[in-house]
Amino acid sequence: MKTIKFLISILMIVLMATGLGAQSSFLEDYKLKWKNAMEYTLEFGQVMPEDYYGFTPTKIEMTYGEQLKHVAGNMVWLCSSYLQGTKTTIDPLKSGNSKREILAVLESSFLYANKTVAALTESDLNETVDFFAGKMTRRRILFLLTDHVTHHRGQLVVYLRMKNIEPPSYRGW
């Protein structure tokens, strides 16, 4: 009887340890989500022909190319200002306006953001920063980073549809 109790105890410990080991952290989940967001957003840059990079649905909206540069600039700003990103020379607003140049700076900005996020620890996420909208945790800045990319990618869907171009298939994982 003692042997059975002992074996059951060992089995429970192994199962609990395996279950705990299988849990992923917020940062692990975020890194995967961010990688997918990067790949998905870069597809939006690829699918629009260069001739339409200057297209805007109205005079008050940014062009397709400006939207992509804006996304890149926001990533660099949030990462360098609030997420402990290393000093960078990436400046999307000073990059060229060709499709090739915009895609290059967009990819560089995503890779810079990847590097910044990879350097964060779970405890870093709980630290607060003085954001212009008030104090925020770095975790909330990560949410803002993702939301901003998603917001502008949604606008790009409309631009593509107006030019009768099918946007990349949605994936939100």
Side-chain angles (χ1 to χ4, degrees):
M1 188 65 149
K2 284 185 177 182
T3 304
I4 292 175
K5 284 184 180 180
F6 176 75
L7 290 174
I8 289 173
S9 296
I10 295 295
L11 179 62
M12 289 181 68
I13 290 170
V14 168
L15 290 174
M16 286 176 25
T18 303
L20 292 175
Q23 290 179 351
S24 62
S25 70
F26 172 83
L27 274 173
E28 288 171 351
D29 288 342
Y30 187 85
K31 288 173 191 176
L32 178 60
K33 173 71 174 148
W34 187 250
K35 177 184 174 289
N36 290 334
M38 176 182 77
E39 292 169 357
Y40 188 39
T41 305
L42 288 171
E43 285 180 40
F44 275 81
Q46 291 291 346
V47 72
M48 180 66 96
E50 183 161 12
D51 291 349
Y52 295 142
Y53 259 60
F55 170 70
T56 180
T58 69
K59 291 180 183 182
I60 62 169
E61 295 295 327
M62 289 182 274
T63 68
Y64 197 86
E66 288 169 341
Q67 290 274 2
L68 293 172
K69 288 171 74 168
H70 174 75
V71 168
N74 183 264
M75 283 187 282
V76 171
W77 172 65
L78 288 175
C79 288
S80 64
S81 300
Y82 303 104
L83 295 176
Q84 302 175 310
T86 58
K87 187 172 169 84
T88 183
T89 59
I90 301 170
D91 188 349
L93 298 180
K94 290 184 180 174
S95 69
N97 292 317
S98 72
K99 180 177 178 175
R100 181 187 56 76
E101 291 167 318
I102 292 172
L103 286 176
V105 77
L106 182 64
E107 184 173 16
S108 294
S109 299
F110 267 112
L111 293 174
Y112 171 71
N114 287 350
K115 182 179 176 184
T116 301
V117 172
L120 292 171
T121 65
E122 294 287 335
S123 62
D124 290 334
L125 300 180
N126 296 322
E127 292 177 8
T128 57
V129 294
D130 289 321
F131 192 64
F132 75 90
K135 290 198 178 286
M136 282 191 198
T137 63
R138 286 195 172 96
R139 178 180 288 103
R140 286 185 66 198
I141 299 294
L142 287 178
F143 291 140
L144 175 59
L145 185 67
T146 305
D147 285 349
H148 187 262
V149 171
T150 303
H151 166 75
H152 287 282
R153 202 172 47 228
Q155 289 178 307
L156 296 176
V157 168
V158 175
Y159 286 45
L160 290 168
R161 293 286 186 199
M162 291 180 78
K163 290 297 184 183
N164 295 312
I165 299 168
E166 186 171 338
S169 297
Y170 174 75
R171 60 177 184 268
W173 44 92

